[in-house]
Amino acid sequence: MNRKKHLSNLWMKLLGSALLLLGISACVPAPAAEANYFSDLYKGLQNFSELPGEVNQLQENYQETVEELQQTKDELSETVDALGQTQEQMEAYRSQNEALQEQNRQLSLVVDELKNDRTARENYYNRIKVTVITGFALILGYFLIIRLLRFTMRHRSRRGDRLR
């Protein structure tokens, strides 16, 4: 059974080669007609014998092209993988950037709140200082006015005692 299949494949290859040679010979321009049939037959046989070498060359070229195509596919696959990784990294950076922006906004709110608290505290301390200084000034002024009044009253009373 296997041998029949092998023979069948062999016949198919021979038939394919013959058809290929026939097709190629039909495409190749015919040389100018000459009267010598034997030289034409010799040239035809020589061309026919050169065809398998050309077919082998074509097969080698095809194989090289297939290998180059596979290499290009592999490079493209690697490039697509690298692009996917780059996109994942960009998405990670984007989400991280959004989280950092939110954190920055919250920190700005906290800083503003702390500044407002500091300003309010400074205003409170300034009012206390002004109140304390005003209190001391009033007390000092009170004592100064009392002293001046006593002094002037004594001075007038001494004058009044002299006039009598």
Side-chain angles (χ1 to χ4, degrees):
M1 180 94 176
N2 196 12
R3 185 160 172 79
K4 278 186 177 182
K5 192 173 184 180
H6 180 61
L7 286 176
S8 173
N9 284 340
L10 184 62
W11 276 106
M12 290 296 261
K13 286 182 181 178
L14 285 175
L15 181 62
S17 296
L19 287 174
L20 181 65
L21 290 176
L22 181 65
I24 290 175
S25 65
C27 292
V28 173
E34 293 180 9
N36 193 350
Y37 291 110
F38 291 110
S39 74
D40 285 344
L41 181 64
Y42 177 73
K43 285 182 182 178
L45 288 176
Q46 185 179 11
N47 286 340
F48 185 74
S49 66
E50 290 175 359
L51 285 179
E54 291 177 8
V55 169
N56 287 338
Q57 183 66 31
L58 287 173
Q59 285 178 340
E60 288 175 7
N61 289 342
Y62 174 77
Q63 191 62 32
E64 288 175 5
T65 305
V66 167
E67 289 173 1
E68 289 176 3
L69 179 63
Q70 185 61 37
Q71 184 179 4
T72 305
K73 282 182 181 179
D74 293 342
E75 290 174 358
L76 181 61
S77 171
E78 290 173 5
T79 305
V80 167
D81 291 342
L83 180 63
Q85 289 175 352
T86 304
Q87 286 177 339
E88 289 173 4
Q89 287 176 347
M90 285 179 59
E91 195 61 38
Y93 288 144
R94 186 174 295 124
S95 64
Q96 189 178 26
N97 190 20
E98 289 172 0
L100 288 173
Q101 285 176 346
E102 178 63 25
Q103 187 178 11
N104 190 21
R105 186 185 65 79
Q106 290 175 354
L107 287 174
S108 294
L109 291 175
V110 169
V111 166
D112 289 341
E113 190 175 319
L114 289 173
K115 282 181 182 178
N116 291 340
D117 288 346
R118 182 178 177 194
T119 304
R121 196 175 325 118
E122 286 176 357
N123 289 340
Y124 177 72
Y125 289 139
N126 285 339
R127 276 188 286 153
I128 289 175
K129 278 196 270 184
V130 167
T131 304
V132 169
I133 291 172
T134 304
F136 281 132
L138 286 174
I139 292 171
L140 184 64
Y142 173 74
F143 284 116
L144 284 177
I145 288 174
I146 289 177
R147 290 287 176 184
L148 280 174
L149 281 174
R150 279 186 183 174
F151 180 72
T152 51
M153 288 170 101
R154 274 190 199 163
H155 188 18
R156 280 191 188 167
S157 90
R158 282 189 193 163
R159 248 199 219 164
D161 285 344
R162 282 189 202 164
L163 290 176
R164 284 193 204 169

